Amino acid sequence: MLSRSVTPQTIETGRLTLQPDAAMRRIGLLLLATDLRTEIDAARLLAAPNVAVHSTRVAFDNPTTPDNLRQMEPRLADASRLLVPGTDLHAIYYACTSASAVIGDDAIDRTIAEAHPDVPVVTPTRAALDAFRVLGARRIALVTPYVEETAIPMIAYFGRFGIEVTTAVCFGFEDDRVMARITPESLLETAAGVDLASADAVFVSCTALPSVEIAASLEQRVGLPVVTANQAALWALRGHAGITGDPGGAGSLFAHPPG
């Protein structure tokens, strides 16, 4: 607070230089109100000069059942409008795997386009499909923190795109804030014990899980490629942000350029 004896002075704006906004690659994160994880993973995998990450949140009420997840669809446009209005974005990430499977990628695209037309939208489900393609995986073992009711639409989603789920494991959690508290060590041990006999790859679903941290270690343990929700989406977002190379420690997916 200024003292009453101090008079504010205006400096001529001609002394200041503005950076062209075109020099920045801006990525928008559309997060669940309850998301405790995605910003942590994005800070790690999208850190680069001239890359800015902006986030907003969409109202969501646990439990993570298909009915609750579906209720987010009409809220997405208004939430997206809060992503730096009047500023160009290079991509928007809707960070919910189960909702993407329930609502559908196309419907999410259309709803977000009401606020940001012509901006590419990344979903964890569609990013996972791209990851399976570059890794040559057609049969996956699915690891989820969900209740069975929520895992079923995920299995159906991948089946529509020719990806066979050979086995599916559910931890039975209903609250994504609790899912975020699962320790990486226990997640690694549990995922490593899944039946992988017929699988080409492992998919660890849910953006709430600390799965980016374990992707490389899990690959070493099971001898198969590992794809996780945020890992795949951030891999795709690195492409939109112009970030190249392997960030290290996040799995073999980063040896491949995003398509």
Side-chain angles (χ1 to χ4, degrees):
M1 180 176 178
L2 291 175
S3 166
R4 292 187 179 183
S5 62
V6 176
T7 301
Q9 299 180 29
T10 300
I11 296 177
E12 295 179 8
T13 56
R15 300 183 186 181
L16 302 173
T17 301
L18 300 182
Q19 177 180 352
D21 194 61
M24 296 297 297
R25 308 284 290 189
R26 299 189 183 277
I27 302 296
L29 305 181
L30 182 53
L31 310 176
L32 273 60
T34 49
D35 188 320
L36 298 176
R37 185 71 215 180
T38 301
E39 287 161 319
I40 297 172
D41 293 337
R44 174 184 173 187
L45 294 180
L46 295 180
N50 297 325
V51 173
V53 179
H54 310 283
S55 63
T56 191
R57 293 182 178 250
V58 58
F60 172 70
D61 299 311
N62 278 289
T64 55
T65 59
D67 285 344
N68 276 354
L69 294 164
R70 199 172 288 112
Q71 289 177 22
M72 273 190 287
E73 181 179 356
R75 305 169 185 166
L76 295 179
D78 284 343
S80 299
R81 289 187 180 95
L82 300 178
L83 276 170
V84 287
T87 303
D88 291 335
L89 295 172
H90 289 79
I92 294 173
Y93 174 30
Y94 175 49
C96 187
T97 324
S98 51
S100 296
V102 169
I103 298 170
D105 299 316
D106 292 342
I108 291 168
D109 289 348
R110 288 193 299 270
T111 306
I112 293 177
E114 294 179 25
H116 291 275
D118 303 320
V119 176
V121 174
V122 173
T123 64
T125 43
R126 188 160 47 203
L129 290 173
D130 289 342
F132 298 149
R133 177 181 53 79
V134 301
L135 294 169
R138 303 292 296 178
R139 297 159 62 87
I140 64 168
L142 176 64
V143 178
T144 86
Y146 315 130
V147 294
E148 292 181 16
E149 177 188 8
T150 304
I152 289 171
M154 186 73 57
I155 297 169
Y157 173 92
F158 288 126
R160 289 194 295 273
F161 292 94
I163 300 297
E164 179 184 353
V165 176
T166 61
T167 188
V169 173
C170 302
F171 300 161
F173 290 104
E174 293 187 332
D175 191 318
D176 63 322
R177 294 163 297 187
V178 178
M179 299 172 196
R181 291 165 48 203
I182 296 173
T183 64
E185 296 79 12
S186 65
L187 179 59
L188 173 61
E189 292 301 321
T190 303
V194 172
D195 180 8
L196 304 175
S198 302
D200 302 322
V202 179
F203 179 55
V204 184
S205 186
C206 191
T207 57
L209 293 178
S211 52
V212 170
E213 296 181 26
I214 69 160
S217 297
L218 184 56
E219 286 184 335
Q220 293 177 353
R221 287 280 294 273
V222 303
L224 290 174
V226 171
V227 177
T228 85
N230 272 342
Q231 173 225 41
L234 291 164
W235 166 74
L237 289 167
R238 284 168 65 90
H240 289 292
I243 305 173
T244 59
D246 190 334
S252 59
L253 177 59
F254 290 91
H256 305 271

